[in-house]
Amino acid sequence: MTAKNPLRLPSVKLIAIAAVAGLIAGAAAVYVKGMGSGNGEAQSAAAAQCEAAKGKVASLSSLAKGQVAAMVGVNEPRKLQSLAFKGAEGQDLTLDSFGGKTVLLNLWATWCVPCREEMPALNTLQKELGSEKFEVVAVNIDTGDDEKPKSFLSETGVDTLGFYRDSSMGVFNALKKEGLAFGLPVTLLVDDKGCLIGSMNGPAAWDSEDAKALVRGAQS
């Protein structure tokens, strides 16, 4: 990327740029204000719903240890409204689609070696603890069609996880903007109200007793 040196810009241009930026910012402010109180009320309701999750965040400090020590409680539990991906039948899904369940959301790709290594462990975690109250939601972000990720799961005996996909990588980019994703794999812990309570970058032994204790604690 070519570096820009603002000192070389004539002062007239700087003034013009600032003026345009001010107009854009003002227009954006008017647009947001013009949206009315509905959006603000929805955000307030979501924040109130996540208020109760603060206790679960606090408990992560004692549960995130050993094999899952990299799991970090969030500063403020919140809804991740921008996350969207596809289900096995191509249907549109968000975290709200799993309401009532504690979710371990994991992003992975076939070209990510640590991801490939932890998939069997995630499969075991789902097999042992998966229920109407908990699900491992492993979202593949390979570009292209479904053939490669499906073949990988079949070849490695991953037979319990649901098949979730986002070939656009939009879900990863959304988490990156939130400061939650720096690479792959990335794993989020979301409570049964859809509130984010913890995040982890990097792999973990998800079939370990430490991981199971973490999940059970997040459900309590």
Side-chain angles (χ1 to χ4, degrees):
M1 182 179 295
T2 304
K4 294 182 179 179
N5 185 353
L7 295 178
R8 294 179 181 175
L9 284 173
S11 59
V12 173
K13 287 189 177 180
L14 283 174
I15 293 169
I17 291 171
V20 171
L23 287 172
I24 292 172
V30 170
Y31 173 75
V32 171
K33 185 176 180 180
M35 291 176 70
S37 60
N39 188 53
E41 289 173 358
Q43 291 178 340
S44 297
Q49 195 173 32
C50 289
E51 185 71 20
K54 289 184 176 180
K56 293 180 180 179
V57 174
S59 70
L60 288 184
S61 59
S62 60
L63 294 169
K65 60 184 180 180
Q67 299 294 333
V68 291
M71 179 66 71
V72 178
V74 297
N75 291 329
E76 191 72 27
R78 63 190 186 278
K79 297 269 192 176
L80 295 174
Q81 307 284 11
S82 60
L83 297 191
F85 47 94
K86 302 287 186 180
E89 305 302 322
Q91 72 273 32
D92 294 326
L93 298 173
T94 67
L95 286 175
D96 285 342
S97 305
F98 302 87
K101 288 185 178 182
T102 297
V103 168
L104 190 75
L105 179 73
N106 176 273
L107 303 190
W108 69 283
T110 58
W111 43 261
C112 164
V113 175
C115 301
R116 294 171 67 94
E117 292 176 347
E118 75 172 0
M119 289 305 292
L122 286 166
N123 189 61
T124 298
L125 181 63
Q126 174 63 25
K127 189 173 293 185
E128 294 186 7
L129 296 187
S131 68
E132 294 181 354
K133 298 296 184 182
F134 171 72
E135 183 174 351
V136 175
V137 177
V139 181
N140 174 266
I141 63 170
D142 279 47
T143 56
D145 59 29
D146 295 350
E147 183 178 350
K148 192 172 182 179
K150 282 186 173 180
S151 294
F152 167 74
L153 295 176
S154 177
E155 291 166 5
T156 52
V158 176
D159 55 1
T160 305
L161 296 177
F163 187 69
Y164 302 107
R165 282 269 283 147
D166 176 27
S167 60
S168 72
M169 290 187 66
V171 65
F172 176 82
N173 291 328
L175 292 182
K176 187 176 180 180
K177 288 180 181 178
E178 291 272 354
L180 297 169
F182 307 105
L184 290 179
V186 57
T187 307
L188 305 182
L189 192 55
V190 179
D191 77 358
D192 57 351
K193 300 295 190 299
C195 303
L196 174 69
I197 59 175
S199 67
M200 174 193 295
N201 279 264
W206 292 109
D207 54 352
S208 66
E209 292 304 316
D210 292 327
K212 295 171 191 175
L214 177 71
V215 169
R216 291 189 182 104
Q219 291 179 272
S220 61

